[in-house]
Amino acid sequence: MSTKESLGKRYDKKILAIIISIVLLVPISINWYKYVIRNIVTYTTYIPETDVENASLLVFKNITDTTVNITGNLIGPDNTTFTIPEKIKFNGMICTVVGIKSFAFSNNKNLEHISIPSTVTNIGNHAFAECSNLKSIKLSEKINKIEHDAFLNCKSLDSIKIPQNVSSIKERAFEGCSSLIKVEIPENVTNIGERAFNNCQSLHHVKLPDNLEKLESRAFYNCVNLESINIPDKITEINPSLFGKCHKLTDIKIPANVTKIYFNAFFECKSLKSITIPPSVKTICSEAFKDCINLTSVKLPSTIIDLWDGIFEGCLKLVDVEFCSNNFIPEGTFKDCTSLTEIKLSSNIVTIGDNAFCNCSSLKAINLPRHLTGIGWRAFYGCKSLTYVSIPRSTNWISEEAFAECTNLIVNLNNNDSLDISKNAFLHCKSVKGKHH
């Protein structure tokens, strides 16, 4: 070591000793002294002394005397391809690099390719977030955790292989990786977090592991080019907006263990043509299949006990529906299903909700159940192909504009004296027979 380097080191140590002496002379609480010893003396972050290539461009922090985490970087435009070393010389000690802390490389626009050594076991939140030019990354096979937002908006990343030891992909881990074409997810993964692959617009095919137990909300939302994906058998819920706006998804099999399909689960899956819902499903939430414009057929099992609003609203090509034995049709269930020509309703149905068949312009016939008690606002509004409806004598009320603009419709009220008919219920219908208040 040169005389100049030796003097420089002694000078640095003297400065540090003076600062610590001044701090310790200040008459403040014992907690302050503990903080100084713990955070300044023992764990100060340094640019390391090193004889290992690339280590001088990284910032480290001790975990133990022989292990360090990466906490920051100084990578510039001359180091677009970078390999993290396994070991570094740090304060005179040989230390092993074991982790990449939160925000360590975030927002680095120079980084294009990076390789992480086998000694690293965890990647912190936002570790590579907003590295918009990062094209490839080689992950350590010993990594067991990928924290939330780890690769958020890495817009140039085109493929990723998740290491075998990873059991959970946290929320937003790969959100906004719009160039991501291929992702390999190992069998050990049991949970994929909320929005984990949201807005990955270049994904085409995804194979999910058989051991997967949880797919959180919006995990694959707006993956507009996703053509195929499997739902493993251990999944019990299709969470909100899980596959919403997957425009090229043509087919999906819902596993036999699923009990609930949440709102917007398949919203705007424009290429989805058919769906079979297993008898295990008890609940379908609002707008679950809304605007699936190429969906032609659907079968709802009789085991469903809870249906929410607008489930098939805007399914323009829906022609074949087997409806369940639910006792009501929720608001907007088939609104704007312009290709629907007929539907067989369960005899258990007692109410038809607002807008239930609104603008079903191809609907030619409907047999209202004999125990029906009420018809909601605009329930059949604009059903211009509907020619005849017989209102059951059990019906107590018909809401405003329920059959308005059904210009070819003949209505038979069956002389029901107790029927309460609201304003414009039959506006512009062809004719109404059997008493009309």
Side-chain angles (χ1 to χ4, degrees):
M1 182 181 292
S2 69
T3 303
K4 186 175 179 181
E5 287 177 332
S6 178
L7 288 172
K9 289 193 174 188
R10 284 203 296 271
Y11 180 74
D12 288 343
K13 289 178 181 178
K14 284 181 181 179
I15 293 293
L16 182 60
I18 291 168
I19 292 171
I20 293 170
S21 299
I22 293 170
V23 170
L24 295 177
L25 286 172
V26 178
I28 51 181
S29 71
I30 190 65
N31 289 332
W32 169 247
Y33 297 138
K34 288 180 179 179
Y35 175 84
V36 170
I37 296 301
R38 184 172 65 250
N39 291 283
I40 297 178
V41 179
T42 309
Y43 296 111
T44 301
T45 300
Y46 296 95
I47 305 296
E49 302 171 27
T50 178
D51 55 5
V52 183
E53 187 180 358
N54 288 333
S56 60
L57 296 176
L58 299 173
V59 182
F60 299 87
K61 188 171 183 178
N62 274 110
I63 302 173
T64 68
D65 288 343
T66 57
T67 59
V68 293
N69 279 329
I70 298 172
T71 60
N73 75 93
L74 304 171
I75 296 173
D78 294 331
N79 300 96
T80 57
T81 298
F82 192 82
T83 298
I84 297 173
E86 289 189 6
K87 296 182 181 294
I88 56 111
K89 188 178 180 183
F90 190 67
N91 293 332
M93 300 288 290
I94 299 299
C95 296
T96 302
V97 180
V98 297
I100 300 173
K101 296 296 284 183
S102 304
F103 296 93
F105 293 89
S106 65
N107 207 37
N108 188 311
K109 308 300 182 187
N110 299 306
L111 197 59
E112 293 182 8
H113 309 277
I114 191 164
S115 180
I116 298 174
S118 60
T119 53
V120 172
T121 60
N122 65 85
I123 296 177
N125 69 76
H126 295 88
F128 294 91
E130 307 292 344
C131 291
S132 55
N133 291 309
L134 182 64
K135 297 176 182 178
S136 68
I137 184 164
K138 183 181 178 182
L139 298 176
S140 159
E141 280 300 322
K142 291 185 179 179
I143 288 173
N144 54 40
K145 186 187 296 184
I146 297 177
E147 287 290 0
H148 66 84
D149 303 280
F151 298 95
L152 175 70
N153 290 332
C154 290
K155 297 181 184 297
S156 300
L157 189 66
D158 60 14
S159 66
I160 191 79
K161 183 180 180 181
I162 310 294
Q164 290 293 328
N165 290 332
V166 172
S167 61
S168 179
I169 300 171
K170 298 292 186 180
E171 58 268 27
R172 301 177 301 277
F174 297 94
E175 179 175 14
C177 294
S178 53
S179 297
L180 191 64
I181 297 172
K182 183 180 180 181
V183 59
E184 294 183 47
I185 303 173
E187 282 298 321
N188 283 339
V189 172
T190 59
N191 182 80
I192 295 178
E194 184 175 346
R195 293 164 55 179
F197 296 94
N198 178 36
N199 207 29
C200 290
Q201 297 187 357
S202 297
L203 272 180
H204 289 278
H205 307 281
V206 174
K207 172 68 170 67
L208 296 177
D210 292 338
N211 290 322
L212 191 68
E213 297 174 0
K214 193 82 171 178
L215 270 169
E216 300 286 2
S217 304
R218 288 176 170 249
F220 291 93
Y221 184 81
N222 204 37
C223 293
V224 293
N225 286 300
L226 185 65
E227 296 175 19
S228 66
I229 188 169
N230 62 304
I231 303 178
D233 290 340
K234 291 184 180 181
I235 298 294
T236 59
E237 295 180 333
I238 309 296
N239 277 308
S241 302
L242 180 56
F243 300 107
K245 292 194 174 184
C246 291
H247 291 167
K248 292 192 176 179
L249 193 63
T250 58
D251 183 50
I252 196 80
K253 182 183 178 183
I254 298 176
N257 290 321
V258 170
T259 60
K260 190 170 185 177
I261 300 173
Y262 279 88
F263 60 86
N264 293 125
F266 297 94
F267 166 68
E268 212 174 285
C269 289
K270 294 181 177 180
S271 299
L272 192 64
K273 293 181 179 179
S274 65
I275 191 86
T276 299
I277 298 171
S280 57
V281 175
K282 308 301 181 187
T283 302
I284 302 179
C285 297
S286 299
E287 301 178 351
F289 299 94
K290 183 181 178 182
D291 292 337
C292 292
I293 59 175
N294 282 296
L295 186 66
T296 59
S297 65
V298 66
K299 181 179 181 180
L300 297 177
S302 59
T303 50
I304 292 178
I305 57 176
D306 191 14
L307 289 174
W308 294 20
D309 300 343
I311 295 170
F312 299 106
E313 181 178 341
C315 294
L316 304 180
K317 294 186 179 180
L318 188 62
V319 294
D320 184 16
V321 180
E322 287 190 41
F323 207 68
C324 59
S325 57
N326 211 49
N327 64 0
F328 73 102
I329 300 178
E331 179 180 341
T333 298
F334 298 102
K335 183 182 178 184
D336 297 326
C337 292
T338 54
S339 297
L340 189 65
T341 57
E342 61 180 334
I343 185 168
K344 184 178 180 180
L345 301 181
S346 165
S347 59
N348 296 331
I349 290 173
V350 294
T351 58
I352 297 175
D354 297 347
N355 285 305
F357 295 92
C358 180
N359 291 326
C360 290
S361 54
S362 298
L363 188 64
K364 295 179 180 179
I366 191 159
N367 185 23
L368 298 179
R370 60 178 179 164
H371 299 299
L372 188 70
T373 60
I375 301 172
W377 177 72
R378 289 195 167 194
F380 294 92
Y381 180 92
C383 293
K384 297 182 184 298
S385 299
L386 202 58
T387 57
Y388 181 79
V389 166
S390 177
I391 308 296
R393 290 185 63 81
S394 59
T395 306
N396 298 321
W397 50 271
I398 298 177
S399 295
E400 189 172 344
E401 298 186 358
F403 293 91
E405 304 303 330
C406 295
T407 51
N408 293 300
L409 180 63
I410 297 172
V411 181
N412 185 356
L413 298 177
N414 290 308
N415 298 310
N416 186 350
D417 293 331
S418 62
L419 184 59
D420 180 15
I421 300 174
S422 297
K423 181 181 177 182
N424 295 327
F426 304 105
L427 180 67
H428 298 150
C429 287
K430 190 172 184 178
S431 68
V432 179
K433 301 175 180 180
K435 292 187 180 181
H436 182 204
H437 298 292

